[in-house]
Amino acid sequence: MVIPSIGAGRAGPVCMTILDTLDTPAERRRRGPRFGANFMAVLEVSRDLFCLCVGGKVVDINSAGLAMLGAEQADEVVGRAFCDRVGDDYAQVIDDLLNLIEIEESAIPTRLCRLNGETAEVELQIHPARELGESHAVVTARDISHQGRLARTARQSEDRFRVLVEKSMHLIAQCHGGRVVYINTAGRAMLGAWGVRHDMAVADMFHGEYREIFTADLSVLLSEPGMMPVRLAHSDGSAFDAQILVTPLPSSGAVPEFMIEARDISSHLRAVAALRHMNETLESQVAERTRELAEERSHALEAQAFVESLLEAVPNPLWWKGIDGLYRGYNRAFREMHAIGPADWIGRPMTETLDPVFVAVSAAADAQALTKDERVQFEGRLAMADGRNHDVVVSKIAWHSRDDRPEGVIGVMLDITERKQMEAELRRLATTDALTGIFNRRHFMATATIEAERARRHHRSLAGLMLDIDHFKRINDSFGHPVGDVAIKAMAAACTEAIRTVDTLGRLGGEEFAVILPDTELETALAVAERIRLAIGAIAIATDKGTVRFTTSIGVAQLSQENSSVESLLSRADAALYAAKNGGRNKVVAG
């Protein structure tokens, strides 16, 4: 959360709005430096530290700030100099900023000293707040310790990431300055012979004026913040349309390092252009013929027949309504979609025919198209005659009378159900383990981190389990890896059956699993672990070489107030797991 524009003696709009709630100026002066509960109540929802200082001393602080400083009560912090909590390197600088001797708009990376002597890496900002009184300043701090741990974890996953990059369907290139130092298999196939050149120039990947621009000034490419349409060059001299994303990479040197991702969109652009041309042509013809009908009454029947024939030929559902919201007509595709006759809905409003949620969104789009006279597009879910809910994209535009006044709305619909299903499947594949169907390591850790933060924030209990199959190597060696895979899947199924729906189960790798149990004390977690141990011990897998049975060792740990990170919780559970193995296996041990 950021308080905008507090600085240089002028409070920003958000800050001023909050300050306006604090009664009269005379009342604020009477209250003194503590500037009211309303302001801090707003900041209680933030996960960042927010506090008000007067003359460098803390006069009010939010709950997240108390937690960051390791304080249980505000009295431990209020009335003390804030710079005492800042590392020695920045103490004098912070003191000058707090006393408004200096103004610094950028965040300052530093360390905050907690009351227990521990430190936390933070980004600190100090905003002058002279509207509250002389020497008043608002201090914000964001904990960035977790980001450093994530960076170290990312380095350990570099080899796995390299495999994923090589298997990507799109071009991925790593660049150092103006040279390409690595390009994946899909990229070499996309560029042809260019892709096999060693140490090629980045600009050589592009075609025509793009190559000239990036050859002259590579910063133009590096400064693009998002997806960018370009033309890439094939080794035979031909060009093709692509969409690229340039991502800066961490670099300690002066030469920039970055990654280029590219996707060939030539066929997509041709399809979009053809569809746009068809829609624009259709809208133009419908609007033109509608105006002709108003101007030439003698040709009304002929013009109406032409328009109806034209609309009937459109493969997508199409309809038009009057300014009163009643249906005036629709084409064959629309009738087939809803299984209605040519006149069943004529003269009726949407509220009598469609789902109320879809009607509300569609009515808002109608109003926007009529008032702003522009094309409006939205996505929604619509029940159709086949009994299923379909995901659709709806485009609407106003049609006009002879004197160019809006007379109603024309709508065109595109069914995107298959595309949405594909997107959902891609999300599922990105978050689940391919063998067992439970969460993969990355998604499990992300979910577990959220649960740990929720437990810390609300002072709730949380427990974690680490478990694996005892003597798993013997199963693979004696019965083969396919049977080992069956054992892993059977263990995942047994764990899923033994835990609640609010619990989180993930496969961390091989035969190793982990479970997060929200709102669970250690004693209850031990009972859950014992239930899992018994369930796994009852598994029997029939094979040609005999029945396979196996056991599991389980380590259990509870989230502590001293160290509430997921990594610490799982590390203690893992240590307990190894204690269970050293103690003879097929055991549950608390850590």
Side-chain angles (χ1 to χ4, degrees), residues 6-173:
I6 299 182
R10 180 179 182 184
V14 173
C15 187
M16 288 300 296
T17 300
I18 297 174
L19 292 176
D20 288 341
T21 67
L22 305 181
D23 305 325
T24 65
E27 178 64 18
R28 290 199 296 275
R29 288 193 299 272
R30 184 187 67 79
R31 281 195 304 265
R34 184 170 180 83
F35 62 106
N38 288 343
F39 186 63
M40 292 309 296
V42 173
L43 301 179
E44 279 298 311
V45 300
S46 175
R47 297 182 181 180
D48 299 337
L49 176 148
F50 276 84
C51 72
L52 176 70
C53 294
V54 177
K57 293 185 177 181
V58 178
V59 298
D60 212 340
I61 186 169
N62 65 346
S63 298
L66 292 176
M68 190 178 297
L69 294 176
E72 294 183 357
Q73 302 292 333
D75 293 342
E76 301 178 55
V77 178
V78 173
R80 302 176 184 272
F82 185 84
C83 63
D84 292 346
R85 304 264 61 86
V86 181
D88 294 338
D89 293 343
Y90 283 96
Q92 184 58 51
V93 174
I94 301 303
D95 188 59
D96 290 344
L97 293 173
L98 288 169
N99 288 281
L100 309 186
I101 299 173
E102 298 288 344
I103 303 295
E104 175 59 52
E105 296 182 357
S106 302
I108 301 173
T110 183
R111 291 178 177 271
L112 278 186
C113 301
R114 296 191 173 98
L115 297 182
N116 62 5
E118 296 179 352
T119 60
E121 299 176 14
V122 298
E123 286 184 345
L124 191 69
Q125 287 189 285
I126 299 176
H127 312 273
R130 294 189 177 92
E131 297 81 0
L132 304 175
E134 291 297 327
S135 302
H136 282 60
V138 174
V139 181
T140 67
R142 173 167 295 175
D143 193 330
I144 60 173
S145 305
H146 184 60
Q147 299 172 9
R149 292 193 293 271
L150 289 179
R152 290 188 290 271
T153 303
R155 286 194 296 271
Q156 296 172 358
S157 304
E158 183 178 359
D159 290 341
R160 179 175 296 178
F161 175 74
R162 177 73 66 162
V163 172
L164 295 175
V165 168
E166 271 302 305
K167 296 299 183 182
S168 173
M169 296 185 298
H170 306 306
L171 178 150
I172 299 178

Side-chain angles (χ1 to χ4, degrees), residues 421-431:
Q421 291 173 346
M422 183 180 296
E423 291 174 354
E425 178 63 13
L426 290 175
R427 286 193 296 270
R428 186 191 68 80
L429 292 174
T431 59

Side-chain angles (χ1 to χ4, degrees), residues 33 105 227 266 486 558:
E105 296 182 357
M227 302 294 292
S266 302
V486 173
Q558 186 172 13

Side-chain angles (χ1 to χ4, degrees), residues 467-510:
L467 61 158
D468 65 7
I469 298 176
D470 294 331
H471 301 299
F472 181 69
K473 186 175 183 299
R474 294 180 184 177
I475 298 176
N476 283 336
D477 293 343
S478 301
F479 297 92
H481 289 278
V483 175
D485 289 345
V486 173
I488 291 175
K489 289 193 288 186
M491 181 172 179
C495 291
T496 302
E497 184 69 23
I499 63 177
R500 304 167 297 179
T501 56
V502 298
D503 300 330
T504 302
L505 171 65
R507 182 186 177 198
L508 303 188

Side-chain angles (χ1 to χ4, degrees), residues 519-541:
D519 297 314
T520 304
E521 300 290 346
L522 182 61
E523 181 179 354
T524 304
L526 288 170
V528 173
E530 181 63 19
R531 187 164 64 245
I532 292 174
R533 186 188 70 81
L534 294 175
I536 293 173
I539 295 173
I541 303 172

